[in-house]
Amino acid sequence: MSRRRTTTEDPYADEDFEILEDDRSSVVTAFDGVELAVREVGPQDARLTVVFAHGFCLRMGAFHFQRARLSEEWGSQVRMVFYDQRGHGWSGESSTDTYTVPQLGMDLEAVLRATVPHGPIVLVGHSMGGMTVLSHARQYPNQYGNRIVGAALIASAARGVSRSPLGEILKNPALEAVQFTVRYAPNLVHRGRGAARSLIGPILRAASYGDEKISPSVVAFSEAMMHDTPIATMVGFLHALEVHDESAALPTLSKIPTLVACGDHDLLTPDGKSRAMAAVLWDTDLVIVPGAGHLVQLEDPGAINDGLVRLVERATPSRLARLTRRTRERFRRGG
């Protein structure tokens, strides 16, 4: 595995990684009653809404740099909606029986119904969030090419990750014992807390970033998200990531412009998985970020942000594209 190196020069030492806490907040109730925490940026009557679904053992703050860039790029013309997946962040926990990729697709539909009743939508998913988008596309195909006009799959995969290091740890007997406890004796799950973290934590940390020097503040932020993830959530979703298969969604995504992006040092969802998805999508922008790991949107936000800007320009009505270009030109000329 690549060994993560931090740099003594930290460009993000003063960065406020909790800025989403100050954005408009609401709670969306999933179809099975689980409460999902939501944050919004931008006017509710914006011409386009971009909805973000985060990855395994993270929370909505994992899109910190994307929130900043798109706010600057599009201003009041685009609204952004972020939410925490069930069992993560501020959202409610549930039975581990519901910790499946199909359920995450249904949760995304609940968020869309509650927060974006009208207007075009671009979906952005990272890691497990990309699988969420794929699951949604498979279950609600009629929305694609109509309301949903673009999608981004970042460091994700259409099929399970059983051949990755994360998949390999599922074969460990100690983890199998923790999984059994989570499912059948949840009141005793704290007894397996140390075993689960000692097995899963190092894999996640090692896979997060590539071989470049990383800001210590960014590393601390991502590791805090992982550490705060409940053990039941962490263990419960492992099996889902191993066995999921949403490849049937790819023809549906071919109806719209897509961005497929990943780092070429991603150990959890290797770039071959992104290349395979891009190969069968008709209108896709494939971005492979050199030297980056699984948390590519935090490690090299510029490459991902540029891809998202291109996606929005490709996916939105021509009038929006013209207006936003004029806005950027005025900004660059100093008003």
Side-chain angles (χ1 to χ4, degrees):
M1 292 182 184
S2 299
R3 190 175 177 185
R4 185 182 64 244
R5 299 182 298 163
T6 57
T7 177
T8 55
E9 296 180 4
D10 189 352
Y12 299 112
D14 298 321
E15 190 79 9
D16 180 8
F17 286 105
E18 304 301 329
I19 192 170
L20 266 167
E21 292 188 18
D22 297 327
D23 293 327
R24 293 195 310 274
S25 65
S26 62
V27 173
V28 170
T29 302
F31 301 140
D32 65 350
V34 173
E35 294 187 337
L36 305 174
V38 176
R39 295 290 187 274
E40 298 180 39
V41 182
Q44 294 183 330
D45 60 352
R47 294 176 179 273
L48 174 76
T49 301
V50 184
V51 180
F52 294 81
H54 68 77
F56 177 61
C57 290
L58 299 171
R59 50 184 166 85
M60 66 178 83
F63 292 111
H64 172 82
F65 292 115
Q66 288 64 55
R67 176 198 179 281
R69 171 67 183 279
L70 293 185
S71 293
E72 176 184 308
E73 190 79 22
W74 304 102
S76 62
Q77 296 187 68
V78 171
R79 178 168 65 122
M80 290 177 282
V81 174
F82 305 85
Y83 72 101
D84 285 334
Q85 305 260 32
R86 63 175 54 213
H88 295 76
W90 294 305
S91 287
E93 298 180 43
S94 182
S95 164
T96 56
D97 291 339
T98 74
Y99 288 171
T100 68
V101 173
Q103 178 64 58
L104 296 182
M106 288 187 281
D107 288 351
L108 175 55
E109 175 64 11
V111 171
L112 295 181
R113 290 188 188 183
T115 64
V116 201
H118 307 289
I121 301 167
V122 169
L123 300 178
V124 179
H126 168 256
S127 185
M128 188 175 74
M131 300 170 192
T132 300
V133 172
L134 287 161
S135 175
H136 184 270
R138 178 183 57 78
Q139 296 181 75
Y140 306 95
N142 292 337
Q143 298 189 31
Y144 290 74
N146 296 311
R147 292 192 62 219
I148 298 172
V149 298
L153 306 174
I154 303 169
S156 195
R159 292 187 177 90
V161 295
S162 58
R163 295 185 180 180
S164 74
L166 193 59
E168 288 300 315
I169 67 173
L170 288 165
K171 302 173 183 177
N172 190 301
L175 185 60
E176 290 177 353
V178 176
Q179 288 178 305
F180 181 89
T181 301
V182 166
R183 182 172 294 273
Y184 298 107
N187 292 334
L188 301 178
V189 72
H190 64 279
R191 295 186 180 180
R193 187 181 306 272
R197 290 210 186 277
S198 66
L199 291 167
I200 303 170
I203 294 291
L204 295 179
R205 287 193 295 271
S208 294
Y209 303 105
D211 58 2
E212 300 300 320
K213 292 185 177 180
I214 309 301
S215 155
S217 296
V218 169
V219 171
F221 174 56
S222 62
E223 291 192 352
M225 286 189 283
M226 295 174 194
H227 184 270
D228 290 344
T229 302
I231 290 297
T233 297
M234 182 180 289
V235 174
F237 273 114
L238 274 176
H239 181 66
L241 298 182
E242 180 192 27
V243 303
H244 96 279
D245 185 349
E246 296 292 351
S247 53
L250 295 173
T252 296
L253 287 186
S254 287
K255 300 176 184 178
I256 59 176
T258 57
L259 166 69
V260 177
C262 70
D264 67 0
H265 281 47
D266 189 336
L267 298 174
L268 299 185
T269 52
D271 61 353
K273 292 185 178 292
S274 288
R275 294 181 190 276
M277 290 191 293
V280 298
L281 294 171
W282 291 353
D283 183 8
T284 193
D285 178 11
L286 176 63
V287 176
I288 306 296
V289 182
H294 191 62
L295 300 188
V296 60
Q297 84 281 14
L298 287 169
E299 183 172 6
D300 193 342
I304 300 304
N305 294 343
D306 288 347
L308 290 176
V309 169
R310 291 194 302 272
L311 174 64
V312 169
E313 290 184 333
R314 291 160 55 216
T316 51
S318 58
R319 185 166 182 264
L320 173 60
R322 288 197 302 270
L323 287 171
T324 50
R325 279 195 288 269
R326 291 174 191 164
T327 299
R328 292 201 301 275
E329 288 169 3
R330 287 197 299 270
F331 177 79
R332 289 163 183 162
R333 291 196 301 264

